Amino acid sequence: MRNPLADKAVELKPSGIRKFFDIVSEMKDAISLGVGEPDFDTPWHIRDEGIYSLEKGRTFYTSNAGLKELKVEICNYLKRRFHLSYDYVSEVLVTVGGSEAIDIALRAMINPGDEVLIPQPSYVSYEPCAILADAVPVIINLKAENEFRLTAAELREAITDKTKILVLPFPNNPTGAIMEQKNLEEIAEVILEKDIFVISDEIYGELTYKEDHVSIAAIPGMQERTILINGLSKSHAMTGWRLGYACGPKEIIAQMLKIHQYAIMCAPTTSQYAAVEALKNGDEDVKQMREAYNQRRRYLLYAFRQMGLECFEPYGAFYVFPCIKEFGMTSEKFAERFLAEEKVAVVPGTAFGDSGEGFLRISYAYSLENLKVAIGRLEKFVHRLREEQGRS
Amino acid sequence: MREQILAILEKNSRIDLKELAVLLGVEELDIVNEMAAMEKEGIICGYHTLIDWEKTSIDKVTALIEVRVTPQRGQGFDNIAERIYKYPEVTAVYLISGAYDLLVTLDGKNLREISRFVSDKLSTMDYVLSTATHFILKKYKDHGTILAKKYEDEREKVSP
């Protein structure tokens, strides 16, 4: 038989998280700090609206770009929260989570050989999606000393004649880093000068703890060259509903819509109706969840300080990214031993790119009670490692 | 800060004050002062425990009693409400808009004890026109806490 497989698919690296996942799921009593989704249930009024839409028999396709009502609410929301103006008719596309939006944005904009800049550590799907779109991914390794923000100098240095797109993943998974207005203004200057485009993944845009999130699209001159990606997964605890969206210049959205229409048809209808309710009446839920995350974030940073574990203060998402270089082992080794010896799962920073070496991603999408138990075990483990080091 | 302190205390009045300070990113002393002030101002009225008596072997019956009364000149409902809430077995008294005036909640050992209170004490009071007693059969949720169900984390243990 001939080889049925595409080289491009075979050559994709399996996700670094997957391997860990397999070990953890076999360990029955392990507790986990490895989850990348909210611990809250979707607020009831939103779930209720989804149920109601099913009861009413709204089980048909919607138009490819999404329900008009939802697109209008998305525009209202972006205006209200991030001071952005989009035309719901031509500049908004409802997708199956932010993930689909990333994929089709790349596919709609890339010609073979175009370079896509991907700052890392970052979410695992940018690089494979870029490869699948025939782009050449170019990694920018973000640095701890910059609190894992992207600097104008780093950006300038990575740009070549072939560079077409910068993926901008802030607030960041896994580091929790944010880009503040002045940071964005600095990189925008380079972007405009070099005439490149931005795919800005702002899925954690509601979860910032210093000042309100600023979208790069709000920086003068940037909206016309930015595909803004967002969704309700993190903000409204709606991961399983698979509902995201992309907003941008109508020329690009039109091409994305074509791919979306052939590959996906439309985002799940039930989820779209629920999302209308979420965006209309969910601001207070978002605020309450943000406050809960913020309290846990403060607790973790305090606990790290107490045990002398180095960690920059992250102002976004629901992750902290402590440094474990003092123990002289790889992130993966640390995570493996921590799991084996204390039965707590954390994700090694390297699952999100080579520049995550020496760091761990710890999620605080857990109740405070859970966090306390896990942190107690981390403290024990860190003590033991230091004792080992003292002996050798 | 008050709003945040109250939001947390309302759910967990036993929280360690040092921990509360960490969660809110303020000094412990500020928390202590703020709480003392709120106690003094009568904003914080107590620190209670939510108990699901069903799960104990102690017999307990709770009733909601709708009471219609004639308001008194110059006193409104306050006087009659006071006469009712002074009974220790009465756990709450609310003035209600609508078809009746006062909603009284009452704890007793059994139905007889409650009906005796209603017939002997409550309905014989001056100005009380009528009462309607409802017994609580099951508490699903109380003080914002769901009593029936335990939360289980069904998420995948590791995800990107």
Side-chain angles (χ1 to χ4, degrees), chain A residues 156-231:
Chain A
R156 190 179 289 279
E157 197 181 319
I159 292 176
T160 70
D161 295 344
K162 297 204 177 91
T163 305
K164 185 157 190 191
I165 294 171
L166 165 69
V167 175
L168 195 63
F170 295 96
N172 183 273
N173 170 12
T175 64
I178 58 167
M179 291 283 279
E180 292 179 65
Q181 175 129 9
K182 61 174 189 309
N183 308 126
L184 292 172
E185 283 166 357
E186 282 161 19
I187 65 163
E189 210 172 290
V190 181
I191 290 163
L192 290 166
E193 179 196 318
K194 299 288 185 180
D195 189 21
I196 62 175
F197 299 91
V198 177
I199 295 177
S200 184
D201 183 353
E202 302 179 22
I203 193 77
Y204 290 97
E206 280 287 3
L207 301 179
T208 61
Y209 312 106
K210 191 176 188 186
E211 52 188 37
D212 273 355
H213 170 71
V214 181
S215 172
I216 184 121
I219 306 293
M222 287 306 301
Q223 185 165 347
E224 62 211 62
R225 52 178 69 243
T226 299
I227 293 292
L228 163 69
I229 290 168
N230 207 331

Coordinates of all heavy atoms in Angstrom, one line a residue, chain A residues 156-231:
Chain A
R156 N 12.2 44.2 15.7 CA 13.0 44.7 14.6 C 14.0 43.7 14.1 O 14.2 43.4 12.9 CB 13.6 46.0 15.0 CG 14.3 46.8 13.8 CD 14.9 48.1 14.3 NE 13.9 49.0 14.7 CZ 13.3 49.8 13.9 NH1 13.5 49.7 12.6 NH2 12.4 50.7 14.3
E157 N 14.7 43.1 15.1 CA 15.7 42.1 14.8 C 15.2 40.9 14.0 O 16.0 40.3 13.2 CB 16.4 41.7 16.1 CG 17.8 41.1 15.9 CD 18.3 40.6 17.2 OE1 18.2 41.4 18.2 OE2 18.9 39.5 17.3
A158 N 14.0 40.5 14.3 CA 13.5 39.3 13.7 C 12.9 39.5 12.3 O 12.7 38.5 11.5 CB 12.4 38.7 14.6
I159 N 12.6 40.7 11.9 CA 12.0 41.0 10.7 C 12.9 40.9 9.5 O 14.1 41.4 9.5 CB 11.3 42.4 10.7 CG1 10.2 42.4 11.7 CG2 10.8 42.8 9.3 CD1 9.5 43.8 11.9
T160 N 12.5 40.2 8.4 CA 13.3 40.1 7.2 C 12.4 40.6 6.0 O 11.2 41.0 6.3 CB 13.7 38.7 6.9 OG1 12.5 38.0 6.5 CG2 14.4 38.0 8.0
D161 N 12.9 40.6 4.8 CA 12.1 41.0 3.7 C 10.9 40.1 3.5 O 9.9 40.4 2.9 CB 12.9 40.9 2.4 CG 14.1 41.9 2.4 OD1 14.0 42.8 3.2 OD2 15.0 41.7 1.6
K162 N 11.0 38.8 4.0 CA 9.9 37.9 3.8 C 8.9 37.9 4.9 O 7.8 37.3 4.9 CB 10.5 36.5 3.8 CG 11.5 36.2 2.6 CD 11.5 34.7 2.3 CE 12.4 34.4 1.1 NZ 13.8 34.1 1.5
T163 N 9.1 38.7 6.0 CA 8.2 38.7 7.1 C 6.8 39.3 6.7 O 6.8 40.4 6.1 CB 8.7 39.6 8.3 OG1 10.0 39.1 8.6 CG2 7.8 39.5 9.5
K164 N 5.8 38.6 7.0 CA 4.5 39.2 6.6 C 3.6 39.4 7.9 O 2.8 40.4 7.9 CB 3.7 38.2 5.7 CG 2.4 38.7 5.2 CD 2.0 38.1 3.9 CE 0.8 38.8 3.3 NZ 0.2 38.1 2.2
I165 N 3.7 38.5 8.8 CA 2.7 38.6 10.0 C 3.5 38.4 11.3 O 4.4 37.6 11.4 CB 1.7 37.4 9.9 CG1 0.8 37.7 8.6 CG2 0.8 37.4 11.1 CD1 -0.1 36.5 8.3
L166 N 3.0 39.2 12.3 CA 3.4 39.0 13.6 C 2.2 38.4 14.4 O 1.1 39.0 14.4 CB 3.8 40.3 14.3 CG 4.0 40.3 15.8 CD1 5.1 39.5 16.3 CD2 4.1 41.8 16.3
V167 N 2.4 37.3 15.0 CA 1.4 36.8 16.0 C 1.7 37.4 17.3 O 2.8 37.4 17.8 CB 1.4 35.3 16.1 CG1 0.4 34.8 17.1 CG2 1.1 34.6 14.7
L168 N 0.6 38.1 17.9 CA 0.8 38.8 19.1 C 0.0 38.2 20.2 O -1.2 38.4 20.3 CB 0.4 40.3 18.9 CG 0.9 41.2 20.0 CD1 2.4 41.3 20.1 CD2 0.3 42.6 19.7
P169 N 0.6 37.3 21.1 CA -0.2 36.5 22.0 C -0.3 37.1 23.4 O 0.3 36.6 24.4 CB 0.5 35.2 22.0 CG 1.9 35.6 21.8 CD 2.0 36.9 21.1
F170 N -1.0 38.2 23.6 CA -1.0 38.9 24.9 C -2.5 39.3 25.3 O -3.2 39.7 24.4 CB -0.2 40.1 25.0 CG 1.3 39.8 24.8 CD1 1.9 39.9 23.6 CD2 2.1 39.4 25.9 CE1 3.2 39.6 23.4 CE2 3.4 39.1 25.8 CZ 4.0 39.2 24.5
P171 N -2.9 39.2 26.5 CA -2.2 38.6 27.7 C -1.8 37.1 27.4 O -2.6 36.4 26.7 CB -3.3 38.6 28.8 CG -4.2 39.7 28.4 CD -4.2 39.7 26.9
N172 N -0.7 36.7 27.9 CA 0.0 35.5 27.4 C -0.3 34.3 28.2 O -0.2 34.3 29.4 CB 1.5 35.8 27.3 CG 2.3 34.6 26.8 OD1 2.6 33.7 27.5 ND2 2.5 34.7 25.5
N173 N -0.6 33.2 27.5 CA -0.5 31.9 28.0 C 0.8 31.3 27.4 O 1.0 31.3 26.2 CB -1.7 31.1 27.5 CG -1.6 29.6 27.7 OD1 -0.8 29.1 28.5 ND2 -2.5 28.8 27.1
P174 N 1.8 30.9 28.2 CA 1.7 30.5 29.6 C 2.3 31.5 30.6 O 2.3 31.2 31.8 CB 2.7 29.3 29.6 CG 3.7 29.7 28.6 CD 3.0 30.5 27.6
T175 N 2.8 32.6 30.2 CA 3.6 33.4 31.1 C 2.8 34.3 32.0 O 3.2 34.8 33.1 CB 4.7 34.3 30.4 OG1 4.0 35.2 29.6 CG2 5.6 33.4 29.5
G176 N 1.6 34.7 31.5 CA 0.8 35.7 32.2 C 1.2 37.1 31.9 O 0.7 38.0 32.5
A177 N 2.2 37.2 31.0 CA 2.7 38.6 30.6 C 1.6 39.4 29.9 O 0.7 38.8 29.2 CB 3.9 38.5 29.7
I178 N 1.6 40.7 30.0 CA 0.8 41.6 29.3 C 1.6 42.6 28.5 O 2.8 42.7 28.7 CB -0.2 42.4 30.2 CG1 0.6 43.2 31.2 CG2 -1.2 41.4 30.9 CD1 -0.3 44.2 31.9
M179 N 1.0 43.2 27.5 CA 1.6 44.4 26.8 C 0.8 45.6 27.2 O -0.4 45.6 26.9 CB 1.6 44.1 25.3 CG 2.5 43.0 24.8 SD 4.2 43.5 24.7 CE 4.3 44.3 23.2
E180 N 1.5 46.6 27.8 CA 0.7 47.8 28.1 C 0.8 48.7 27.0 O 1.5 48.5 26.0 CB 1.4 48.4 29.4 CG 1.1 47.6 30.6 CD 1.7 48.1 31.9 OE1 1.3 49.2 32.3 OE2 2.6 47.5 32.4
Q181 N 0.0 49.8 27.0 CA -0.2 50.7 25.9 C 1.2 51.2 25.4 O 1.4 51.1 24.2 CB -1.0 51.9 26.4 CG -1.0 53.0 25.3 CD -2.5 53.5 25.1 OE1 -3.4 53.1 25.8 NE2 -2.7 54.3 24.1
K182 N 2.1 51.5 26.3 CA 3.4 52.1 25.8 C 4.2 51.0 25.1 O 4.9 51.2 24.1 CB 4.2 52.7 26.9 CG 4.6 51.8 28.1 CD 5.5 52.5 29.1 CE 6.1 51.6 30.1 NZ 5.1 50.7 30.8
N183 N 4.1 49.7 25.6 CA 4.8 48.6 24.9 C 4.2 48.4 23.5 O 5.0 48.2 22.5 CB 4.6 47.3 25.6 CG 5.0 47.4 27.1 OD1 4.2 47.0 28.0 ND2 6.2 47.9 27.4
L184 N 2.9 48.5 23.4 CA 2.2 48.4 22.1 C 2.6 49.5 21.1 O 2.9 49.2 19.9 CB 0.7 48.3 22.3 CG 0.2 47.1 23.0 CD1 -1.3 47.2 23.3 CD2 0.4 45.8 22.2
E185 N 2.7 50.7 21.6 CA 3.0 51.8 20.8 C 4.4 51.7 20.2 O 4.7 52.0 19.1 CB 2.9 53.1 21.6 CG 1.5 53.6 21.8 CD 1.3 54.7 22.8 OE1 2.3 55.1 23.5 OE2 0.1 55.1 23.0
E186 N 5.3 51.1 21.0 CA 6.7 50.9 20.6 C 6.8 49.9 19.4 O 7.4 50.1 18.4 CB 7.6 50.5 21.7 CG 8.0 51.7 22.7 CD 8.5 51.2 24.0 OE1 8.8 50.0 24.2 OE2 8.4 52.1 24.9
I187 N 6.1 48.8 19.6 CA 6.2 47.8 18.5 C 5.3 48.2 17.3 O 5.7 47.9 16.2 CB 5.8 46.4 19.0 CG1 4.3 46.3 19.4 CG2 6.7 45.8 20.1 CD1 3.8 44.9 19.5
A188 N 4.3 49.0 17.6 CA 3.5 49.5 16.4 C 4.3 50.3 15.5 O 4.1 50.2 14.2 CB 2.3 50.3 16.9
E189 N 5.2 51.1 16.0 CA 6.1 51.9 15.2 C 6.8 51.0 14.2 O 6.9 51.3 13.0 CB 7.0 52.6 16.1 CG 7.5 54.0 15.6 CD 8.3 54.7 16.7 OE1 7.7 55.1 17.7 OE2 9.5 54.8 16.5
V190 N 7.4 49.9 14.7 CA 8.2 49.0 13.9 C 7.2 48.3 12.8 O 7.6 48.2 11.6 CB 8.9 47.9 14.7 CG1 9.7 47.0 13.9 CG2 9.7 48.6 15.8
I191 N 6.1 47.9 13.3 CA 5.1 47.2 12.4 C 4.7 48.1 11.2 O 4.7 47.7 10.1 CB 3.9 46.8 13.2 CG1 4.2 45.7 14.2 CG2 2.7 46.4 12.3 CD1 3.2 45.5 15.3
L192 N 4.5 49.4 11.5 CA 4.1 50.3 10.5 C 5.2 50.6 9.5 O 5.1 50.6 8.3 CB 3.6 51.6 11.1 CG 2.2 51.5 11.8 CD1 2.0 52.8 12.7 CD2 1.1 51.4 10.8
E193 N 6.4 50.8 10.1 CA 7.6 51.1 9.3 C 7.9 49.9 8.3 O 8.2 50.1 7.2 CB 8.8 51.3 10.2 CG 10.1 51.6 9.5 CD 11.3 51.5 10.4 OE1 11.2 51.9 11.6 OE2 12.3 50.9 10.0
K194 N 7.8 48.7 8.9 CA 8.1 47.5 8.1 C 7.0 46.9 7.3 O 7.1 46.0 6.6 CB 8.7 46.4 9.0 CG 9.9 46.8 9.8 CD 11.1 46.8 8.8 CE 12.4 47.1 9.6 NZ 13.6 47.2 8.8
D195 N 5.8 47.6 7.4 CA 4.6 47.2 6.7 C 4.3 45.7 6.8 O 4.2 45.0 5.8 CB 4.8 47.5 5.2 CG 3.5 47.4 4.4 OD1 2.4 47.3 5.0 OD2 3.6 47.2 3.2
I196 N 4.1 45.2 8.0 CA 3.7 43.9 8.3 C 2.3 43.9 9.0 O 1.8 44.9 9.3 CB 4.7 43.0 9.1 CG1 4.9 43.7 10.5 CG2 6.0 42.9 8.4 CD1 5.8 42.8 11.4
F197 N 1.7 42.7 9.1 CA 0.4 42.6 9.6 C 0.4 41.9 11.0 O 1.4 41.2 11.3 CB -0.5 41.8 8.7 CG -0.7 42.4 7.4 CD1 0.2 42.1 6.3 CD2 -1.7 43.4 7.2 CE1 0.1 42.8 5.1 CE2 -1.8 44.0 6.0 CZ -0.9 43.7 4.9
V198 N -0.6 42.0 11.8 CA -0.7 41.4 13.1 C -1.9 40.5 13.2 O -3.0 40.9 12.9 CB -0.7 42.5 14.2 CG1 -0.8 41.9 15.6 CG2 0.5 43.4 14.1
I199 N -1.6 39.3 13.8 CA -2.8 38.5 14.3 C -2.7 38.5 15.8 O -1.7 38.0 16.4 CB -2.6 37.0 13.8 CG1 -2.8 37.0 12.2 CG2 -3.7 36.2 14.4 CD1 -2.6 35.6 11.6
S200 N -3.6 39.3 16.4 CA -3.5 39.5 17.8 C -4.5 38.6 18.6 O -5.7 38.8 18.5 CB -3.8 41.0 18.1 OG -3.6 41.3 19.5
D201 N -3.9 37.7 19.3 CA -4.8 36.7 20.0 C -5.0 37.3 21.4 O -4.2 37.2 22.3 CB -4.0 35.4 20.1 CG -4.9 34.3 20.8 OD1 -5.9 34.6 21.3 OD2 -4.4 33.1 20.8
E202 N -6.2 37.8 21.6 CA -6.6 38.5 22.8 C -7.6 37.7 23.6 O -8.4 38.3 24.3 CB -7.0 40.0 22.5 CG -5.9 40.7 21.8 CD -6.3 42.1 21.4 OE1 -7.2 42.7 22.0 OE2 -5.6 42.7 20.4
I203 N -7.5 36.4 23.6 CA -8.5 35.6 24.2 C -8.5 35.8 25.7 O -9.6 35.6 26.4 CB -8.3 34.1 23.8 CG1 -9.4 33.2 24.2 CG2 -7.0 33.5 24.5 CD1 -10.6 33.3 23.3
Y204 N -7.4 36.2 26.3 CA -7.4 36.5 27.7 C -7.6 38.0 28.0 O -7.2 38.5 29.1 CB -6.0 36.1 28.3 CG -5.9 34.6 28.4 CD1 -5.2 33.9 27.4 CD2 -6.4 33.8 29.4 CE1 -5.0 32.5 27.4 CE2 -6.3 32.4 29.5 CZ -5.6 31.8 28.5 OH -5.4 30.4 28.5
G205 N -8.1 38.7 27.1 CA -8.2 40.2 27.2 C -9.0 40.7 28.4 O -8.8 41.8 28.9
E206 N -9.9 39.9 28.9 CA -10.7 40.3 30.1 C -9.9 40.0 31.4 O -10.3 40.5 32.4 CB -12.0 39.5 30.1 CG -13.1 40.1 29.2 CD -13.6 41.5 29.7 OE1 -13.2 42.0 30.7 OE2 -14.6 42.0 29.0
L207 N -8.9 39.2 31.3 CA -8.2 38.8 32.5 C -6.9 39.6 32.7 O -5.8 39.0 32.4 CB -8.0 37.3 32.5 CG -9.3 36.5 32.4 CD1 -9.1 35.0 32.4 CD2 -10.3 36.9 33.6
T208 N -7.0 40.8 33.0 CA -5.7 41.6 33.4 C -6.0 42.2 34.8 O -7.1 42.5 35.2 CB -5.4 42.7 32.4 OG1 -6.5 43.6 32.4 CG2 -5.2 42.1 31.0
Y209 N -4.8 42.4 35.5 CA -4.9 42.7 36.9 C -4.2 44.0 37.3 O -3.9 44.2 38.4 CB -4.4 41.5 37.7 CG -5.1 40.2 37.3 CD1 -4.3 39.3 36.6 CD2 -6.4 40.0 37.5 CE1 -4.9 38.1 36.1 CE2 -7.0 38.8 37.1 CZ -6.3 37.9 36.4 OH -6.9 36.7 35.9
K210 N -3.8 44.7 36.2 CA -3.1 45.9 36.5 C -3.9 47.1 36.0 O -4.4 47.9 36.7 CB -1.7 45.9 35.8 CG -0.8 47.0 36.3 CD 0.6 46.9 35.7 CE 1.5 47.9 36.3 NZ 2.8 47.9 35.6
E211 N -4.1 47.1 34.7 CA -5.0 48.1 34.1 C -5.8 47.3 33.0 O -5.4 46.2 32.7 CB -4.2 49.2 33.5 CG -3.1 48.8 32.5 CD -2.2 49.9 32.1 OE1 -2.0 50.8 32.9 OE2 -1.9 49.9 30.9
D212 N -6.8 48.0 32.5 CA -7.6 47.3 31.5 C -6.7 46.9 30.3 O -5.8 47.7 29.9 CB -8.8 48.2 31.0 CG -10.0 48.0 31.9 OD1 -9.9 47.1 32.8 OD2 -11.0 48.7 31.7
H213 N -7.0 45.8 29.7 CA -6.3 45.4 28.5 C -6.4 46.4 27.4 O -7.5 47.0 27.2 CB -6.8 44.0 28.1 CG -6.4 43.6 26.7 ND1 -5.1 43.2 26.5 CD2 -7.0 43.5 25.5 CE1 -4.9 42.8 25.2 NE2 -6.1 43.0 24.6
V214 N -5.3 46.6 26.7 CA -5.4 47.5 25.5 C -5.1 46.6 24.3 O -4.2 45.9 24.3 CB -4.3 48.6 25.6 CG1 -4.4 49.5 24.4 CG2 -4.4 49.4 26.9
S215 N -6.0 46.8 23.3 CA -5.8 46.0 22.1 C -4.8 46.7 21.2 O -4.9 48.0 21.1 CB -7.1 45.8 21.4 OG -6.9 45.2 20.1
I216 N -4.0 46.0 20.4 CA -3.1 46.7 19.5 C -3.9 47.3 18.4 O -3.5 48.4 17.8 CB -2.1 45.7 18.9 CG1 -1.1 46.4 18.0 CG2 -2.8 44.6 18.1 CD1 0.3 46.2 18.3
A217 N -5.1 46.8 18.1 CA -6.0 47.5 17.1 C -6.4 48.9 17.5 O -6.8 49.7 16.7 CB -7.2 46.6 16.9
A218 N -6.3 49.2 18.8 CA -6.7 50.5 19.3 C -5.5 51.5 19.1 O -5.7 52.7 19.3 CB -7.1 50.5 20.7
I219 N -4.3 51.1 18.7 CA -3.2 52.0 18.5 C -3.4 52.6 17.1 O -3.6 51.9 16.1 CB -1.9 51.2 18.6 CG1 -1.8 50.4 19.9 CG2 -0.7 52.2 18.4 CD1 -1.7 51.3 21.2
P220 N -3.2 53.9 17.0 CA -3.5 54.6 15.7 C -2.7 53.9 14.5 O -1.6 53.5 14.6 CB -2.9 56.0 15.9 CG -3.1 56.2 17.3 CD -2.9 54.9 18.0
G221 N -3.5 53.6 13.4 CA -2.9 53.0 12.2 C -2.8 51.5 12.2 O -2.5 50.9 11.2
M222 N -3.2 50.9 13.4 CA -3.0 49.5 13.5 C -4.3 48.7 13.1 O -4.2 47.5 12.7 CB -2.6 49.1 14.9 CG -1.2 49.4 15.2 SD 0.0 48.7 14.1 CE -0.3 47.0 14.3
Q223 N -5.5 49.2 13.3 CA -6.7 48.4 13.1 C -6.7 47.9 11.6 O -7.1 46.7 11.4 CB -7.9 49.3 13.4 CG -9.2 48.4 13.3 CD -10.4 49.1 13.9 OE1 -10.3 50.1 14.6 NE2 -11.6 48.6 13.6
E224 N -6.3 48.7 10.7 CA -6.3 48.3 9.3 C -5.3 47.2 8.9 O -5.4 46.6 7.9 CB -6.1 49.5 8.4 CG -4.8 50.1 8.5 CD -4.8 51.6 8.3 OE1 -5.5 52.3 9.0 OE2 -4.1 52.0 7.3
R225 N -4.4 46.9 9.9 CA -3.5 45.8 9.6 C -3.5 44.7 10.7 O -2.5 44.0 10.9 CB -2.1 46.3 9.4 CG -1.5 47.3 10.4 CD -0.1 47.7 10.1 NE 0.0 48.6 9.0 CZ 0.7 48.3 7.9 NH1 1.3 47.2 7.8 NH2 0.7 49.1 6.9
T226 N -4.6 44.7 11.4 CA -4.7 43.7 12.5 C -5.9 42.8 12.4 O -7.0 43.3 12.1 CB -4.8 44.5 13.9 OG1 -3.6 45.3 14.1 CG2 -4.9 43.5 15.0
I227 N -5.7 41.5 12.6 CA -6.8 40.6 12.8 C -6.8 40.4 14.3 O -5.9 39.8 14.9 CB -6.6 39.3 12.0 CG1 -6.6 39.4 10.5 CG2 -7.6 38.2 12.5 CD1 -8.0 39.8 10.0
L228 N -7.9 40.8 14.9 CA -8.1 40.7 16.3 C -8.9 39.4 16.6 O -9.9 39.1 15.9 CB -9.0 41.9 16.8 CG -9.6 41.7 18.2 CD1 -8.6 41.7 19.3 CD2 -10.6 42.8 18.4
I229 N -8.3 38.5 17.4 CA -9.0 37.3 17.7 C -9.3 37.3 19.2 O -8.6 37.6 20.1 CB -8.0 36.1 17.4 CG1 -7.9 36.0 15.9 CG2 -8.6 34.8 18.0 CD1 -6.8 35.1 15.4
N230 N -10.6 36.9 19.4 CA -11.1 36.9 20.8 C -12.2 35.8 20.9 O -12.4 35.1 19.9 CB -11.6 38.2 21.2 CG -11.5 38.4 22.7 OD1 -11.6 37.5 23.5 ND2 -11.4 39.7 23.2
G231 N -12.7 35.6 22.0 CA -13.8 34.6 22.2 C -14.3 34.6 23.6 O -13.8 35.4 24.4

